[in-house]
Amino acid sequence: MSWLTKWSFKNKAAITIMSILILALGVISYFTLPMEFLPTADQPQVSVVVMGQGTDADSMEKQVTSPIEEAVAGVKGKSNVYSTTGDGYSKIDILFESKTDMKEAKTNVQEALSSVQLPASVSKPNVIQLNTSMIPIADISLTFKEGLTRDNLDLAEKKLIPKYKDVKGIASVQTYGTADSYVSIKVDNKKLSQKNVTIDKVISVLEGKNTSLAVGERVINNKSSNINVTGKIDSLDKVKKLPVAPNVTLGDLAKVEVKKPEGVVTHINGKDALLLIVTKDSHSNAVSITKEVKKLSEQISKDYKNVNASVFFATGDSVQNSVHSMMKEVLLGAFFATVVIMLFLRSVRSTFITIVSIPLSLCFTLFLLSKSGVTLNILTLGGVAVAIGRLVDDSIVVIENIFRKMQKEEFSLGLIIDATKEVGSAITASTLTTVAVFLPIGLVNGGLQDFMLPFALTLTYSLLSSLIVALTVVPLMSAGLLKNEKLRKHKQPVRFTKVITWSLNHKWVVLLLSLLLFVGSIGAYTMMPKGAVDNSSSDFVGTTLSYPNNTPIKTVEEKSLQLERYILAQKEVKDVYMQLGNTDEGAKWGDVGSPTEATYTIIVKDSGNIDSLMKRIENQKKLYDGGDLSVSAASLMGASTTSITVDVIGNDMNKLEKTASSIKKEISDIKGVDKVSTNQDEKKTIYSLDVDPTKANTQQVAQQLGVMLNKTPIGAIDLEGKQANVLLESVLNPTSPKELKDISIMTETGPSPVSKVASLTQAEKPTNQFHKNGDPYIQVTADVNPEKLSEINKDIQTTIFGDGKNKGLSISKDVDVVIGGASTQQGEDFSDLFITMLVSIGIVFLIMVITFKTIRTPFAILFSLPLAAIGAVLGLLISRIPVDVTALLGALMLIGIVVTNAIVLLDRVKQNEKKMIMRDAIVEAAATRMRPIVMTSAATICAMLPLLFKQSESGSLVSQSLAVVVIGGLAVATLLTLVVIPVVYELLHFKKSKKQRIQQKQQEDVTPL
């Protein structure tokens, strides 16, 4: 690469201008790059949600869930289909292979659903495919002094929400809390009998009345004119005056009023409110949009006296905090690297020349990231934090070689060029090997790939930039700043030279000790617990109050509001968002669940107070008898829990329940298991009317009972400028089996109690129906300690299936048990990263073969990898940190980093071999290259120290475990590389080296005194 250095000397002005431009472009890129929490990554799942208010779970399963499962069974790329069916809703989750194009997958699902015929009483299917770009940047609350009146809802819809949508960069604004009011008609059964009016007359009361029809075209007053017939009902008075029989109006028989849906509550800080969920487009900055949204909210509150608009939770704030926190680690790392260089070189000018590579490389990296469509997020900044120490490595090697040459030769431009040329091939090869480690990133599965790619690109761009700076800017600056520099004389490492000589004379001692250490580290690794990435850095508290489905909605609502009042009274609480019941808005995002479950999102004033708040809320459990109160810390990545799931699959529900119950009981006692639950803990009494087909028509009986027992839509009217549905309230409210049997229905022979045509049966059945690939299943979920995931998973496997010593559980042959969850994901991620490591080693070996044009030298260099493994495992053992995905990512990085030292060392050996025997070449190279090797390693280690003492950001691949692996591996590999690699190299050239030494000795013996 000497041509690049020579070119830079011939074009000094161009290099200077390019450096200034790169600095300017980097600064501009930093402020213009879209700033967000995570890179865009698709979730390999498509969800289908159907709402059916008033429809029981069994009917939803037969009429909605099963037809949809059959329709999507043939969708390309599908791996599994899970479904949950409850009262009033059905949710089908279709999981796909990791490399599936999710946009195409969503289209395929929509096409498959187009042929499905669903009942008229359920909603149109909502098809949802989520990705990280849908993470909201702000949650806005809109509250009104008069509450959520029709006028205030119109104000929000027509004026306020459009203001938010007009903010540049906002992609969508979803609204929660706009549950539409409806016109309720509650018939008085006594009056119905007195007036001798059938319920059918009430049901058809709106037919043909609230409509507009064109009846033709005629010439009137010599002009062609259209003729319309219009009937308009736009008030409750008109509804009440509608005739249902001669001299009988609807108002005579029923109570007519406007109502809000029951069992649906959207509260912010205890008040009815509209919740606006704001998402940004992929090109905009989350932080700047959040600031604009906050300003707009303040302005709205000023302009509209009856409106209080406020941003009660903004992910943009978390993004800004994460980015600033990571930038602090980058700057601290740069500072520590600078201190190391200063201590070794003891020259301000040399240190300045070396650290120039940091801002230049970073600015060039930011510019390249902006052109690659990569955003500024915790992963790209994590890549910078990891690379910061490595950015000065190439410059250190160059400046140290110039430094050393200047002590022996007179300063000149030729000296600078020669010194750079000497190490040029070594630093180029070492940088390329580090970059090459990330080339096989495509082998990693989709989800992990989406997260690792920005990280890998950042490292690649920054390292290649640092190489160019080391070969161009560093020599130029050295020529200008070191011309009159008085350098302290560097002492030769005499003791180290003796250690190298002894090691070369006692090769098998060195190799056996290294082998023992390596075997010991591998044994220790296999025994170490394998953990999951812990995302416990909390942004808020998530609380759930859940009751069995047979609990009256009114009771659930009362208890939910009671808990809300308690939470709001706590001094740590800043804001509380409470949601009870399913809504159409939530269904659009796949957010559906039990109608008897209330969820609370609690924003605290200080995250340091989360633990004490959680304990106090948990202590309230005794006040909610029959309910399940759960509290957990949560972050933008979801609840901070690691779970192992056990799927129990089969067709016999009794066997499934028995097996699931047995598994739940047995694994609850395993150490490290915090909580065990199943998705079928609740049961509900189901009354079934089995119709005798010889006495009545089943469909007609069901239709009549449906009208009498449920709300029935009978039409719509215009109310205050908006269309409102008109619902006939349930006519009867039976409270006992006898009252149910005595319900009168019309048959062919006339009115008759339903018990005359049908028999009543009673059974306890689960409130929800669960399917996996069309078969019923029960899922047992164990929340576990993420640090001991592999150990707990092994214990669960042994408990269920047994091993050589334990028998395990007795499981029926027609019941399948499958263990999944975090343990399965961990296994897949570990497997992907191990494959990536193997391919990376192959690519590194190929680059070194091309560089050295031989196989023996690259083979010797690869011996630095097991040396790094010794240090990595030792670091994990000392820190007591479990092995997780980020630790393996650190091991992947080590492949590229540790071979750098061996390359720099053996490159010098190859140069020396041209003018001296191999033994002398090795000893001289080790003594000469020791200082730059120790300097570069120390700079990289010190630059990573801030990461070692920093709590990882939620969702980040940069964590303590990565820092421990890199620091431990690099520290031990550096010390052993200087001793072991020379031994291995000479051993691979044993005959040649021995022959040279014999010849040299013979020459010394015959040389006259």
Side-chain angles (χ1 to χ4, degrees), residues 28-35 285 366 369-371 374-376:
I28 293 168
S29 297
Y30 176 76
F31 288 106
T32 56
L33 266 172
M35 194 181 289
N285 190 313
L366 288 170
L369 287 175
S370 68
K371 295 302 174 186
V374 177
T375 59
L376 200 61

Side-chain angles (χ1 to χ4, degrees), residues 236-257:
L236 289 185
D237 285 338
K238 288 185 178 180
V239 175
K240 292 175 182 178
K241 292 175 181 177
L242 290 174
V244 291
N247 300 319
V248 180
T249 64
L250 186 59
D252 295 334
L253 303 171
K255 184 178 181 181
V256 181
E257 61 183 334

Side-chain angles (χ1 to χ4, degrees), residues 545 556-564 578 580 598 600:
L545 179 60
V556 176
E557 189 171 333
E558 288 172 0
K559 291 293 184 181
S560 301
L561 295 175
Q562 178 184 331
L563 179 59
E564 180 188 45
M578 190 266 268
L580 170 66
Y600 306 81

Side-chain angles (χ1 to χ4, degrees), residues 142-147 152 155 159-160 163 271 296-309:
L142 291 179
T143 55
F144 304 86
K145 288 182 180 178
E146 304 89 353
N152 287 334
L155 173 66
K159 291 187 177 180
L160 304 185
K163 286 179 184 288
K271 296 179 180 179
L296 178 57
S297 298
E298 290 173 4
Q299 192 62 46
I300 287 173
S301 297
K302 287 179 183 177
D303 294 345
Y304 298 88
K305 300 302 179 184
N306 66 323
V307 180
N308 181 25

Side-chain angles (χ1 to χ4, degrees), residues 981-994:
I981 298 304
V983 170
V984 173
Y985 182 79
E986 189 176 66
L987 189 65
L988 290 172
H989 300 83
F990 180 73
K991 289 183 180 179
K992 180 181 177 182
S993 178
K994 187 174 182 181

Side-chain angles (χ1 to χ4, degrees), residues 646 648 653-669 676-681 683 778-781 799-800 809-811 815 817:
V646 183
V648 184
M653 282 304 299
N654 291 327
K655 289 182 179 179
L656 294 186
E657 289 174 4
K658 184 179 177 183
T659 305
S661 177
S662 179
I663 290 172
K664 180 183 177 182
K665 181 182 176 183
E666 292 298 324
I667 68 175
S668 295
D669 298 328
V676 182
S677 60
T678 75
N679 55 8
Q680 285 216 327
D681 284 339
K683 285 196 173 185
I778 297 176
Q779 187 171 82
V780 182
T781 303
T799 301
I800 297 173
L809 300 178
S810 177
I811 300 172
V815 173
V817 177

Side-chain angles (χ1 to χ4, degrees), residues 426-447:
I427 63 174
T428 301
S430 62
T431 301
L432 290 178
T433 53
T434 308
V435 169
V437 164
F438 293 96
L439 284 179
I441 208 77
L443 295 174
V444 178
N445 272 333

Side-chain angles (χ1 to χ4, degrees), residues 854-866:
T854 177
I855 289 181
R856 291 184 187 181
T857 304
F859 191 69
I861 290 170
L862 286 184
F863 267 82
S864 60
L865 298 180

